[in-house]
Amino acid sequence: MLFYTYIIIAALVASIILTELFREKSWRNQLAMVIILIPLLLRIFQIK
Amino acid sequence: MEKHHYIAVVFLLAGGILSAIASKDFLSMRDADILHPSQFVTTTGMLSDYLPEIKGTYGDTKVYYFNSGNPGATVILLGGTHPNEPAGFIAAAVLVENAQVTKGRLIVIPQSCASGFTATDPLEACPTHFTINTQSGPRTFRYGARGGNPLHQWPDPLVYRHYPSGQQLSGMESRNLNRSYPGRVDGSFMERNGFAIVQLIKKENVDVAFDLHEAAPEVMIINAIITHEKGSDIAANAVLNLEFEDLQYSLEISPKNFHGLSHREWGDSTMTFAFLMETSNPSQGRLRGVTSEALVVEGNDPFYKTASKLDNVRITYDSSGEPLSLRVARHLQGFKRLVESYNEAHPENSAIIENIPEYNAVVSDGVGKYLK
Amino acid sequence: MKFIRVLVMIAFGALLITPLYSQSKEKFEQPILITSAGQSADVTMAAMLCKKVNLNAKAVNRATAADVKDAKTLMIVPGFSSKGLGAAGISREQEMDRVKEVIAAAQKQKMRIIVLHIGGKPRRGQQSDDFNKLCAEASQYMIVVKQGNDDNFFSDIAAAKKIGLDLVEKIAEAAKPLEASFTK
């Protein structure tokens, strides 16, 4: 159960970052957001 | 679409490509290692044959049976209890690909903690694979983690309480197969893994059981044979015989109050004589430098070399290196002498296992010569 | 004259090839009580050595004064093991007291003591050496694997206290002097 709660939280955070990525106007911040997104994606798809 | 939207899409695509590259690397650890069983392997089964609850999970793993057809003792050997200790796994692979049993039976589980082979330990910068030059050319094997993959058992508790003793250990030990014996059917992923192995030992009436390990050079118990008190005479005799061949092993008796380990729990809960062997593996150590495939295979580390020359650092490390071939050779020779020692003590119920490469041959030819 | 010279040479040659461990000594008697001093697993190895040379020995890791009664020789295998002490559930101090008690009981009974130090370097160092010294000084004969005597720890005690000492390269080589030191 905790495992899936973790995955849901990771998916939620990833979707917020994704939304913010398109709102953000500074490319530096956009780059930082994508870097943060990578491990979250690997977690959500249970690759790592 | 505005300019920052285009930038977001480009960055997202770049992130996607990087994720795909990383994923390919991570997912490659789920591809099973391929062994080429000797013609004398009579049957191949799965651990889930003893506990159907683990079928289809990463707790399931291959089991190789050598049945001589002649009555005698049943011997089991486990490699890969800790997948970051490759000498155990490779020694088991050498047996699977070479051994011939003429009396009794031999059962080999080369990758006892299959889950641990699907990931490396976080923050350790370990390679995912290592390569050995074999008879058929280079063969690649996985270098895994000490414990099971957190994807298969998560989260770790703050404190791991061993069943049934109630002994408390650090949370991450809950994913350590060698702290999960005797296990339970309705327990955690790793407790089920341990339970299945104990069921196998019981159902097959295993007389002698081996669990092959490695340890960092700074660990106190190294180049050692650890046994349940039942097997102390057998082990002491083997240590003396190994000493005649200039192979030093220290003998340790399994502490009665340290639970969850194979030598303690197999010995307590089954009729088997349990032995665990350790070699010195610098790729696990805290003093090591770059953790490369070369370090795993060749066992040469400049920092351990320096440390071995200092009087105030107590390590078991030969300054010329601790190559995988030597570590596998130690395991195979120790296994051979312990089985012989068991046979001496139980002539009425012995096991004869042949075609195990000699220590000197494995060291000088390299272990690859004994892998197909 | 020539004949005498040859005889002398033969006698001298025989002296040279006589194994060092036979240069003793009043023989020890069986049965033997083997006990540890420090709770290392070396005591199991010692018991196996005795078994190999057919000596009547009983190993009791934590022997007490009461166990000494039935034996004629006390064999102490010194070497500290934190794992062994932990398994026995006793402290280093408790172990030291026990060893002193056993030695005192043996001495009271005029029993002779052999020390078998076979663990090499791992059974030396600060933690082990208190046990090593205590046992070595109480003994009448020691067999030591050379690696454990790199700094002449045991040879110095042997010289100072006039205790018989045989140094061997390997554990297995301890069997010969051990066998030779007992009456059959």
Side-chain angles (χ1 to χ4, degrees):
Chain A
M1 182 62 192
L2 267 172
F3 181 80
Y4 290 104
T5 310
Y6 175 80
I7 297 295
I8 290 165
I9 293 169
L12 198 69
V13 173
S15 62
I16 292 168
I17 292 173
L18 203 60
T19 316
E20 286 303 308
L21 179 69
F22 282 92
R23 282 190 192 153
E24 180 60 51
K25 290 191 174 153
S26 155
W27 69 269
R28 282 191 176 84
N29 289 346
Q30 283 177 309
L31 183 63
M33 285 172 180
V34 169
I35 291 170
I36 293 167
L37 211 50
I38 294 173
L40 285 169
L41 288 174
L42 296 178
R43 284 280 191 266
I44 294 161
F45 292 110
Q46 293 172 38
I47 290 164
K48 177 69 180 170
Chain B
M1 263 196 1
E2 292 178 42
K3 188 185 164 193
H4 69 274
H5 290 146
Y6 287 111
I7 294 172
V9 171
V10 170
F11 280 170
L12 210 51
L13 277 172
I17 291 166
L18 287 174
S19 300
I21 293 168
S23 301
K24 191 170 175 276
D25 203 26
F26 291 134
L27 291 173
S28 73
M29 293 199 75
R30 297 186 196 178
D31 297 335
D33 299 295
I34 295 162
L35 300 185
H36 307 299
S38 122
Q39 56 175 310
F40 305 109
V41 169
T42 42
T43 329
T44 304
M46 296 297 286
L47 186 58
S48 58
D49 297 341
Y50 301 89
L51 188 68
E53 285 83 348
I54 64 167
K55 200 176 176 69
T57 72
Y58 277 97
D60 207 0
T61 188
K62 272 193 176 164
V63 184
Y64 298 86
Y65 300 84
F66 296 76
N67 192 347
S68 69
N70 299 318
T74 299
V75 178
I76 191 170
L77 180 133
L78 267 68
T81 292
H82 292 149
N84 63 337
E85 298 167 12
F89 165 42
I90 298 298
V94 169
L95 284 181
V96 167
E97 300 195 2
N98 294 276
Q100 180 181 8
V101 180
T102 52
K103 188 169 189 285
R105 288 193 304 158
L106 170 67
I107 303 171
V108 184
I109 309 181
Q111 294 177 303
S112 308
C113 178
S115 165
F117 279 91
T118 63
T120 53
D121 280 315
L123 304 174
E124 292 288 330
C126 293
T128 56
H129 295 81
F130 59 95
T131 303
I132 300 175
N133 289 319
T134 69
Q135 294 172 33
S136 58
R139 275 173 69 184
T140 298
F141 301 95
R142 287 176 290 171
Y143 185 92
R146 177 176 170 81
N149 190 334
L151 283 171
H152 307 144
Q153 183 179 310
W154 189 89
D156 289 343
L158 200 60
V159 174
Y160 165 50
R161 199 179 285 272
H162 170 260
Y163 174 83
S165 72
Q167 170 187 268
Q168 294 186 9
L169 293 158
S170 88
M172 65 182 295
E173 297 288 21
S174 66
R175 283 184 287 113
N176 182 348
L177 176 59
N178 203 28
R179 299 293 181 279
S180 302
Y181 297 114
R184 51 182 158 177
V185 68
D186 55 351
S188 67
F189 173 85
M190 204 49 77
E191 283 176 327
R192 283 204 303 273
N193 200 160
F195 186 76
I197 289 169
V198 171
Q199 291 315 296
L200 187 161
I201 293 172
K202 283 181 178 172
K203 199 171 167 192
E204 300 295 343
N205 295 319
V206 172
D207 299 287
V208 200
F210 294 87
D211 188 12
L212 303 185
H213 285 253
E214 299 201 79
E218 62 271 26
V219 169
M220 296 284 279
I221 296 167
I222 221 159
N223 287 343
I225 295 173
I226 303 142
T227 179
H228 189 274
E229 60 271 14
K230 283 194 288 194
S232 59
D233 280 359
I234 293 171
N237 191 33
V239 168
L240 286 176
N241 289 337
L242 286 159
E243 209 198 25
F244 277 119
E245 301 169 79
D246 281 330
L247 290 171
Q248 312 295 325
Y249 287 75
S250 65
L251 172 64
E252 300 286 344
I253 308 297
S254 172
K256 284 183 181 162
N257 48 2
F258 192 8
H259 290 283
L261 293 108
S262 54
H263 43 79
R264 170 53 41 206
E265 305 299 344
W266 295 353
D268 280 355
S269 59
T270 76
M271 57 172 270
T272 200
F273 289 96
F275 303 98
L276 184 149
M277 285 190 277
E278 298 273 11
T279 61
S280 172
N281 174 14
S283 60
Q284 282 177 266
R286 296 299 95 194
L287 304 183
R288 71 180 192 268
V290 177
T291 318
S292 59
E293 268 195 67
L295 178 60
V296 174
V297 177
E298 290 156 24
N300 259 315
D301 183 273
F303 297 100
Y304 275 109
K305 199 169 184 171
T306 306
S308 69
K309 289 173 188 155
L310 302 174
D311 284 341
N312 52 353
V313 182
R314 192 173 153 172
I315 57 170
T316 306
Y317 180 80
D318 190 305
S319 56
S320 59
E322 296 279 350
L324 184 62
S325 292
L326 180 135
R327 284 140 52 200
V328 171
R330 283 189 69 92
H331 274 332
L332 292 172
Q333 201 71 3
F335 169 70
K336 205 187 304 182
R337 296 291 170 250
L338 279 162
V339 171
E340 283 170 6
S341 184
Y342 167 83
N343 288 345
E344 251 179 64
H346 302 85
E348 75 294 346
N349 181 42
S350 58
I352 299 175
I353 303 165
E354 294 172 349
N355 284 0
I356 304 173
E358 285 297 327
Y359 173 84
N360 288 330
V362 178
V363 172
S364 59
D365 301 339
V367 67
K369 192 178 172 191
Y370 303 95
L371 291 167
K372 290 177 187 167
Chain C
M1 199 58 195
K2 196 177 173 187
F3 176 69
I4 292 171
R5 205 183 297 165
V6 170
L7 266 183
V8 169
M9 280 174 73
I10 290 170
F12 188 68
L15 266 179
L16 278 179
I17 60 166
T18 303
L20 284 173
Y21 49 79
S22 66
Q23 58 167 244
S24 50
K25 291 144 199 175
E26 201 183 325
K27 299 254 182 181
F28 289 81
E29 285 180 90
Q30 303 176 53
I32 310 158
L33 172 69
I34 310 173
T35 193
S36 170
Q39 295 300 315
S40 76
D42 294 347
V43 77
T44 313
M45 299 295 297
M48 181 52 65
L49 281 172
C50 289
K51 196 174 166 186
K52 278 196 178 267
V53 293
N54 294 318
L55 291 176
N56 178 8
K58 182 182 167 193
V60 183
N61 280 12
R62 292 165 61 194
T64 60
D67 296 305
V68 169
K69 276 184 284 179
D70 305 325
K72 290 196 171 159
T73 299
L74 175 65
M75 180 185 292
I76 312 181
V77 188
F80 173 84
S81 162
S82 55
K83 202 173 176 183
L85 283 175
I90 52 172
S91 69
R92 191 171 174 278
E93 288 66 36
Q94 285 171 308
E95 175 70 349
M96 187 60 85
D97 291 343
R98 182 191 66 81
V99 176
K100 283 178 185 166
E101 183 197 312
V102 172
I103 290 174
Q107 286 170 336
K108 197 176 166 191
Q109 235 176 273
K110 303 222 177 328
M111 186 188 275
R112 299 175 73 216
I113 300 173
I114 289 184
V115 160
L116 199 60
H117 188 275
I118 51 178
K121 263 190 189 162
R123 305 297 180 211
R124 286 291 318 279
Q126 209 181 344
Q127 298 276 46
S128 285
D129 281 351
D130 288 346
F131 289 107
N132 291 334
K133 188 166 184 284
L134 173 73
C135 302
E137 289 181 343
S139 72
Q140 281 77 49
Y141 175 49
M142 293 189 275
I143 302 175
V144 176
V145 169
K146 272 182 188 168
Q147 199 201 44
N149 190 48
D150 266 1
D151 54 354
N152 295 324
F153 178 88
F154 289 100
S155 342
D156 288 348
I157 295 176
K161 301 264 174 186
K162 296 193 170 52
I163 299 166
L165 169 70
D166 276 318
L167 294 170
V168 292
E169 292 287 344
K170 296 175 179 178
I171 301 172
E173 286 175 9
K176 273 191 181 174
L178 190 63
E179 188 179 19
S181 62
F182 279 88
T183 52
K184 285 285 175 183

